[in-house]
Coordinates of all heavy atoms in Angstrom, one line a residue:
G34 N -19.6 -3.7 22.1 CA -20.8 -3.3 22.7 C -21.7 -2.6 21.7 O -21.6 -2.8 20.5
V58 N -11.7 2.8 -20.7 CA -11.5 1.7 -21.6 C -10.0 1.6 -22.0 O -9.3 2.6 -22.2 CB -12.4 1.8 -22.9 CG1 -12.1 3.1 -23.6 CG2 -12.2 0.6 -23.8
S177 N -15.5 1.9 0.8 CA -14.6 0.8 0.7 C -13.8 0.6 2.1 O -13.7 -0.4 2.6 CB -13.6 1.0 -0.4 OG -12.6 0.0 -0.4
M215 N 0.3 3.6 28.3 CA 0.3 2.3 27.5 C 1.3 1.4 28.2 O 2.3 1.8 28.7 CB 0.7 2.6 26.1 CG -0.3 3.5 25.3 SD -1.7 2.6 24.7 CE -1.1 1.9 23.2
A232 N 1.7 -0.4 13.3 CA 0.8 0.2 14.3 C 1.3 -0.1 15.7 O 1.3 0.8 16.5 CB -0.6 -0.3 14.1
V359 N 12.8 -3.3 -19.2 CA 11.9 -4.4 -19.6 C 11.8 -4.5 -21.0 O 11.5 -3.6 -21.7 CB 10.5 -4.2 -18.9 CG1 9.7 -5.4 -19.1 CG2 10.6 -3.8 -17.4
R410 N -10.0 -8.7 -3.1 CA -9.2 -8.7 -4.4 C -9.2 -10.1 -5.0 O -9.2 -10.2 -6.3 CB -7.8 -8.2 -4.1 CG -7.8 -6.7 -4.0 CD -6.4 -6.2 -4.0 NE -6.4 -4.7 -4.0 CZ -5.4 -4.0 -3.5 NH1 -4.3 -4.5 -2.9 NH2 -5.5 -2.7 -3.5

Side-chain angles (χ1 to χ4, degrees):
V58 59
S177 172
M215 297 282 276
V359 188
R410 281 188 177 154

